[in-house]
């Protein structure tokens, strides 16, 4: 094991980490991590439930009739910066020579289809008028400017530090939607949306995980819009923020497995991906938690449809939770009948997609009871799944662990061994995609909150290749929040409509119908 000096140890402790934890991280980086073993893709009626209009309406009514008794929170990972949304524009600024070629020639030469689409849809971008106004007021363009000069100036204004610098905004605060009289950020849309399905007695609680440096910006934005949004929705908002904890950072190594250090010889640690947010989620004491990413919002006219889908998932969670709690109580009694055991096993198999051991019937009665207790006594998540439209990212699969146990998991493509023909074929057979649309229950039937760290599969961490300066390094990402961090939760997949999935990965996504006011 690599040696640490006293300064290293002090620095590790200062971050809230322990030497043992850092050594474990190094072991994982040196040894590598196993790929996930896919058994088959989860599909409709084989791991994914699909509900009729009548059943969905019944679940929505169930949620509406019971939500007033519940403590509900909407949890929104929102630490991402907008930088990556503008990647193709940064590439253009770097490579384009305005004196040597026209923009059209550049597009044709470089087959720059994203750039072409950006210019075609330019006037539909929510911040178009804002940028033009800025350019005119600061004499960056005038009537004599050619079209190419205007387009070039527009991109520079959006990206450059001394200008509007949208590329440095937190993604949640960038103007996403243009209404008649105002521009709305993704942050604002999350409030409007939460009022439709996450409010209890006229109050909605939302929690955003943000980058600490953006804290003041988010608070200012809330103060600016609070009165208008609360009046329009007739809802009071309880907004809270937290940051990714330094104690979740991970150490990095070179390609030759040497520890990476800063120029001043201090150990180099990196943020460990969205799996780090399990620490933040673990601090809640709510009955029902909605989880959704910051950039997955729609303009107001689609929000009712999105809200119906959320209520359907929440109604199912309430149903499942009530029955699971009832059964957990039975299993805690001194006398459990054979009929109870059979009914509970049947419920786990048919309603929760839990795979029971083929040896179950051979177990002694006492061991059957312990086995069922173990299967029931876990946090529950209902995950919406959309039909696969070729988007990059994770999907729902049946996965086999080292003990040959089968379970439903959300798997990222980076976790799959693409060199294996069998695994690659299973990946190709995926019919659905993970839009990060979860409703979670984190308490047992006694009302005690689970320690969510106990349900993580540490073997599902990722090793990724990154750069530091000009050097390639190996970085360790914790098991993803909705991947390995929830590996041992009870997991139910439900098909949801495509309208619920509208992420903004590039600025051109803002041109899609669900981000345009008709």
């Amino acid at each position: 094991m690599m040696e640490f000096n006293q300064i290293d140890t002090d620095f590790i402790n200062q971050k809230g980490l322990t030497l043992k934890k850092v050594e474990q991280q190094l072991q994982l980086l040196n040894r590598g991590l196993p790929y996930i073993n896919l058994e088959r893709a989860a599909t409709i009626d084989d791991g994914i439930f699909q509900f009729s209009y009548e059943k969905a309406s019944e679940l929505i009514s169930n949620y509406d009739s019971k939500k007033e008794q519940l403590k509900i929170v909407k949890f929104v990972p929102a630490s991402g910066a907008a930088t990556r949304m503008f990647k193709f524009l940064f590439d253009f600024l770097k490579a384009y020579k305005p004196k040597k070629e026209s923009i059209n020639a550049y597009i044709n030469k470089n087959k720059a289809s994203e750039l072409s689409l950006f210019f075609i849809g330019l006037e539909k971008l929510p911040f178009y008028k804002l940028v033009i106004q800025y350019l005119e007021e600061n004499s960056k363009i005038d009537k004599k400017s050619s079209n190419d000069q205007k387009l070039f100036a527009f991109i520079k204004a959006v990206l450059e530090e001394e200008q509007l610098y949208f590329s440095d905004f937190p993604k949640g605060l960038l103007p996403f939607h243009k209404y008649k009289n105002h521009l709305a950020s993704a942050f604002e849309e999350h409030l409007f949306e939460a009022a439709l399905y996450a409010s209890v007695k006229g109050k909605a609680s939302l929690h955003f995980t943000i980058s600490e440096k953006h804290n003041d910006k988010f608070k200012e934005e809330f103060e600016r819009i609070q009165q208008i949004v609360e009046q329009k929705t007739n809802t009071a908002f309880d907004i809270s923020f937290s940051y990714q904890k330094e104690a979740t950072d991970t150490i990095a190594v070179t390609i030759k497995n040497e520890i990476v250090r800063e120029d001043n010889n201090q150990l180099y640690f990196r943020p460990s991906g969205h799996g780090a947010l399990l620490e933040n989620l673990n601090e809640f004491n709510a009955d029902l938690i909605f989880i959704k990413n910051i950039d997955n919002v729609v303009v107001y006219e689609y929000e009712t449809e999105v809200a119906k889908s959320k209520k359907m998932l929440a109604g199912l969670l309430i149903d499942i939770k009530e029955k699971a709690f009832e059964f957990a109580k039975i299993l805690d009694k001194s006398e459990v009948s054979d009929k109870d055991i059979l009914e509970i096993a049947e419920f786990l198999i048919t309603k929760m997609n839990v795979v029971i051991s083929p040896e179950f019937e051979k177990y002694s009665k006492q061991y059957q009871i312990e086995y069922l207790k173990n299967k029931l006594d876990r946090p529950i998540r209902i995950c919406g799944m959309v039909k696969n439209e070729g988007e990059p990212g994770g999907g729902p699969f049946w996965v086999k662990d080292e003990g040959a146990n089968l379970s439903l998991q959300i798997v990222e493509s980076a976790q799959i061994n693409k060199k294996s023909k069998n695994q690659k074929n299973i990946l190709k057979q995926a019919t659905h995609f993970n839009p990060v649309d979860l409703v979670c229950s984190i308490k047992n039937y006694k009302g005690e909150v689970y320690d969510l760290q106990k349900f993580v599969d540490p073997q599902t961490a990722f090793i990724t290749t990154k750069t530091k300066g000009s050097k390639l390094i190996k970085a360790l990402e914790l098991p993803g929040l909705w991947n390995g961090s929830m590996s041992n939760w009870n997991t139910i997949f439900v098909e949801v409509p495509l309208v619920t999935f509208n992420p903004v990965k590039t600025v051109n996504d803002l041109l899609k119908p669900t981000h345009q006011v008709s």
Side-chain angles (χ1 to χ4, degrees):
M1 184 51 65
M2 300 172 198
E3 292 295 314
F4 293 109
N5 59 38
Q6 192 56 49
I7 295 168
D8 292 338
T9 309
D10 291 346
F11 182 58
I12 287 166
N13 293 335
Q14 192 187 317
K15 284 182 76 70
L17 277 156
T18 62
L19 196 56
K20 188 182 174 189
K21 218 168 189 177
V22 174
E23 284 173 347
Q24 284 169 345
Q25 291 174 6
L26 285 170
Q27 278 176 347
L28 288 176
L29 284 162
N30 289 334
R31 202 176 60 222
L33 284 149
Y35 287 111
I36 289 278
N37 182 11
L38 303 180
E39 175 71 13
R40 61 187 186 274
T43 54
I44 299 295
D45 297 331
D46 182 23
I48 303 176
F49 290 110
Q50 186 183 52
F51 296 129
S52 64
Y53 175 79
E54 290 73 26
K55 178 65 179 172
S57 303
E58 185 191 307
L59 292 170
I60 290 167
S61 301
N62 184 42
Y63 174 66
D64 282 336
S65 68
K66 291 172 182 171
K67 71 172 179 139
E68 298 298 311
Q69 283 80 53
L70 302 173
K71 189 176 179 187
I72 297 171
V73 174
K74 183 178 178 187
F75 182 90
V76 185
S79 57
T83 320
R84 274 187 283 183
M85 282 174 59
F86 299 103
K87 186 186 178 299
F88 69 90
L89 295 180
F90 278 112
D91 292 344
F92 168 71
L93 266 198
K94 207 171 166 184
Y96 178 58
K97 307 282 185 288
K99 289 176 183 172
K100 290 187 177 178
E101 60 189 340
S102 68
I103 286 178
N104 209 29
Y106 174 90
I107 288 170
N108 291 334
K109 184 179 82 181
N110 294 284
K111 296 186 175 63
S113 55
E114 283 185 302
L115 190 64
S116 175
L117 180 60
F118 177 79
F119 289 139
I120 291 165
L122 199 64
E123 291 182 20
K124 287 185 171 182
L125 288 170
F127 45 77
Y128 173 75
K129 283 186 177 167
L130 190 72
V131 178
I132 294 297
Q133 188 184 342
Y134 163 83
L135 291 171
E136 288 172 351
E137 284 174 0
N138 290 275
S139 308
K140 303 278 184 187
I141 58 168
D142 55 30
K143 285 172 185 170
K144 290 176 188 168
S145 304
S146 70
N147 193 45
D148 273 15
Q149 285 169 331
K150 286 177 186 171
L151 294 175
F152 192 53
F154 188 99
I155 291 176
K156 286 176 80 167
V158 166
L159 302 185
E160 287 185 349
E161 191 173 347
E162 59 278 9
Q163 299 198 57
L164 291 170
Y165 206 21
F166 285 162
S167 56
D168 191 55
F169 273 48
K171 211 186 227 187
L173 298 184
L174 193 72
F176 260 35
H177 300 149
K178 186 185 186 312
Y179 292 98
K180 194 177 176 186
N181 299 316
H182 83 293
L183 297 175
S185 64
F187 174 72
E188 181 180 321
E189 295 292 19
H190 271 283
L191 305 192
F192 274 108
E193 191 191 285
L196 293 174
Y197 62 81
S199 69
V200 175
K201 299 182 176 78
K203 186 179 176 184
S205 296
L206 290 93
H207 183 86
F208 295 84
T209 61
I210 60 172
S211 168
E212 193 168 356
K213 67 176 181 181
H214 295 143
N215 188 40
D216 291 346
K217 284 183 179 174
F218 272 97
K219 284 184 173 166
E220 282 160 20
E221 173 73 351
F222 181 55
E223 281 164 19
R224 187 181 72 79
I225 63 175
Q226 182 177 6
Q227 199 178 351
I228 304 161
V229 179
E230 292 191 341
Q231 278 173 356
K232 278 187 178 177
T233 59
N234 204 18
T235 305
F237 290 95
D238 171 24
I239 305 290
S240 57
F241 301 101
S242 65
Y243 322 122
Q244 199 161 308
K245 293 179 169 53
E246 271 197 55
T248 62
D249 288 355
T250 51
I251 201 157
V253 296
T254 65
I255 300 303
K256 291 179 179 174
N257 290 328
E258 292 153 347
I259 290 174
V260 178
R261 293 180 179 272
E262 300 282 13
D263 293 340
N264 63 1
N265 212 32
Q266 193 177 64
L267 293 171
Y268 173 66
F269 284 89
R270 297 185 75 263
S272 55
H274 54 71
L277 300 179
L278 190 73
E279 290 268 355
N280 306 59
L281 193 63
N282 213 11
E283 288 175 0
F284 281 92
N285 178 10
D287 300 307
L288 198 146
I289 301 173
F290 290 96
I291 301 180
K292 190 180 184 190
N293 276 333
I294 187 69
D295 62 342
N296 186 11
V297 289
V298 290
V299 291
Y300 192 73
E301 66 193 90
Y302 295 102
E303 280 178 357
T304 310
E305 210 178 327
V306 169
K308 278 183 189 170
S309 176
K310 292 275 181 290
K311 288 180 175 188
M312 173 186 76
L313 298 178
L316 177 65
L317 178 63
I318 290 169
D319 254 7
I320 294 289
K321 194 166 81 156
E322 283 174 354
K323 203 72 184 151
F325 284 6
E326 184 192 315
F327 286 144
K329 277 182 197 168
I330 290 170
L331 290 172
D332 270 354
K333 283 185 194 163
S334 52
E335 282 298 313
V336 183
S337 70
D338 290 344
K339 185 172 171 282
D340 288 333
I341 288 173
L342 213 63
E343 197 183 342
I344 295 167
E346 187 69 18
F347 168 76
L348 281 163
I349 294 163
T350 59
K351 302 295 181 193
M352 295 183 77
N353 277 324
V354 172
V355 177
I356 300 288
S357 166
E359 304 293 308
F360 181 75
E361 287 178 11
K362 297 175 187 170
Y363 297 160
S364 69
K365 187 173 178 180
Q366 194 47 47
Y367 187 59
Q368 284 181 337
I369 291 167
E370 290 307 315
Y371 182 90
L372 292 176
K373 266 188 192 179
N374 176 269
K375 293 289 185 187
L376 268 181
D377 193 16
R378 300 163 186 237
I380 306 167
R381 57 175 177 161
I382 312 286
C383 314
M385 291 291 155
V386 294
K387 278 184 182 153
N388 197 335
E389 299 271 299
E391 292 280 349
F397 292 90
W398 287 100
V399 167
K400 195 180 269 188
D401 70 11
E402 287 165 341
N405 303 299
L406 274 184
S407 64
L408 286 171
Q409 302 291 342
I410 297 171
V411 181
E412 301 299 318
S413 66
Q415 295 176 278
I416 299 164
N417 181 5
K418 315 280 192 325
K419 288 176 184 168
S420 157
K421 207 173 175 184
N422 165 269
Q423 296 291 288
K424 210 173 168 184
N425 283 340
I426 296 171
L427 180 60
K428 278 182 190 164
Q429 286 157 17
T431 55
H432 287 70
F433 175 83
N434 168 41
V436 186
D437 185 1
L438 290 84
V439 194
C440 304
S441 162
I442 56 166
K443 292 180 180 178
N444 65 18
Y445 80 87
K446 295 171 186 166
E448 298 160 339
V449 180
Y450 288 110
D451 175 3
L452 302 180
Q453 294 291 354
K454 290 180 177 170
F455 300 89
V456 176
D457 177 1
Q459 289 297 305
T460 57
F462 296 74
I463 294 173
T464 54
T465 307
K466 303 280 181 187
T467 52
K468 176 165 166 49
S470 58
K471 286 180 186 167
L472 281 178
I473 61 168
K474 288 199 295 186
L476 183 67
E477 293 205 4
L478 293 175
L481 182 60
W482 39 85
N483 311 111
S485 282
M486 296 182 177
S487 185
N488 294 306
W489 290 39
N490 276 326
T491 297
I492 297 169
F493 294 146
V494 179
E495 186 177 78
V496 291
L498 268 171
V499 73
T500 60
F501 182 55
N502 305 279
V504 178
K505 299 303 175 201
T506 88
V507 65
N508 286 349
D509 287 329
L510 293 172
L511 302 172
K512 290 177 178 176
T514 43
H515 293 293
Q516 293 285 319
V517 178
S518 56

